[in-house]
Amino acid sequence: GNHDWYDALEGFAATFFEPDAARAAMRARVDVDNHLTSTTDRHIDQLIAEATRLKSEYRVSVQHQKLPYFQFQTSNFALFAIDTGVARCIDETQRAWLEEALKSADGKFKLALLGHPFFAGGRDVSEGDEDFAELKTLLERYEVDIVMAGDTHDLEYYSEPIKMASGSKSIRHFVNGGGGAYLSFGTSLDWPSTPVTDDWAIYPSRAQVVSKINATAPLWKRPA
């Protein structure tokens, strides 16, 4: 997602990539930026060493990936982790990978994880965004069952009916920004009177947000 990219994906790469892949990815970004960066080989080695140390200290299974996107499939289930970066788009290399992966999962239950949701705040976020809308269409074409994303700091749910050659079905969209935690104010204060889908749910509601503001906002903030 966007927060992973704010440091040019360095923290993500050091933590989740194989060390050689992380080193190659960070050096490639430096080359693309014509070395106009504070990132040096020494800095890259320090990042990877610290990630390796933390991996051992916390006993977590990381540093296995080669790229920021991946798939995992069993005989009847397929998961696709898609890197939408900061700009809510994927490049041609990732698109080709994703389409082949979706084809290989024909007939399986498919779950796609994205950095950004297609639906948020009761609206279709892909409207007016050609690249993001194209990704949405691709997932619909291959009949993905669930799309889950973060970014928006609410817990939201939408059921999107779509028509397919084989008939009609619904794609279920979940927004789990902050794990659904009550972290910030936003979408529910601006919730439209007619949300984009008929079947939807959100937490916290506008009433819950207003109640928290009234209970916690100091007097000097009340005019705002």
Side-chain angles (χ1 to χ4, degrees), residues 21-83:
R23 194 171 285 107
M26 286 187 264
R27 285 175 176 169
R29 196 273 304 173
V30 170
D31 289 341
V32 169
D33 288 345
N34 295 317
H35 295 261
L36 299 175
T37 173
S38 60
T39 299
T40 62
D41 282 348
R42 181 183 179 189
H43 177 67
I44 291 172
D45 289 339
Q46 288 174 335
L47 284 173
I48 294 172
E50 178 65 1
T52 302
R53 183 187 71 80
L54 292 171
K55 169 187 176 180
S56 175
E57 181 171 338
Y58 290 99
R59 300 178 184 177
V60 291
S61 182
V62 291
Q63 294 184 319
H64 299 306
Q65 294 176 219
K66 294 183 183 295
L67 293 164
Y69 49 88
F70 63 90
Q71 63 171 311
F72 174 85
Q73 295 199 35
T74 68
S75 59
N76 54 12
F77 172 77
L79 179 147
F80 309 97
I82 303 167
D83 174 15

Side-chain angles (χ1 to χ4, degrees), residues 95-134:
R95 178 184 167 77
W97 162 83
L98 178 58
E99 187 151 16
E100 285 301 311
L102 290 166
K103 286 179 182 178
S104 72
D106 184 45
K108 299 180 182 181
F109 187 94
K110 293 180 280 291
L111 166 63
L113 299 177
L114 283 74
H116 303 83
F118 292 122
F119 297 107
R123 297 172 174 82
D124 185 344
V125 180
S126 70
E127 286 187 358
D129 187 331
E130 184 177 352
D131 290 333
F132 203 41
E134 183 182 3

Side-chain angles (χ1 to χ4, degrees), residues 139-165:
L139 297 182
E140 290 173 350
R141 186 189 316 147
Y142 287 95
E143 302 187 33
V144 168
D145 296 276
I146 291 178
V147 177
M148 185 175 291
D151 198 48
T152 302
H153 293 192
D154 291 319
L155 180 60
E156 302 181 27
Y157 163 81
Y158 304 87
S159 179
E160 177 194 17
I162 58 171
K163 292 182 179 179
M164 309 299 301

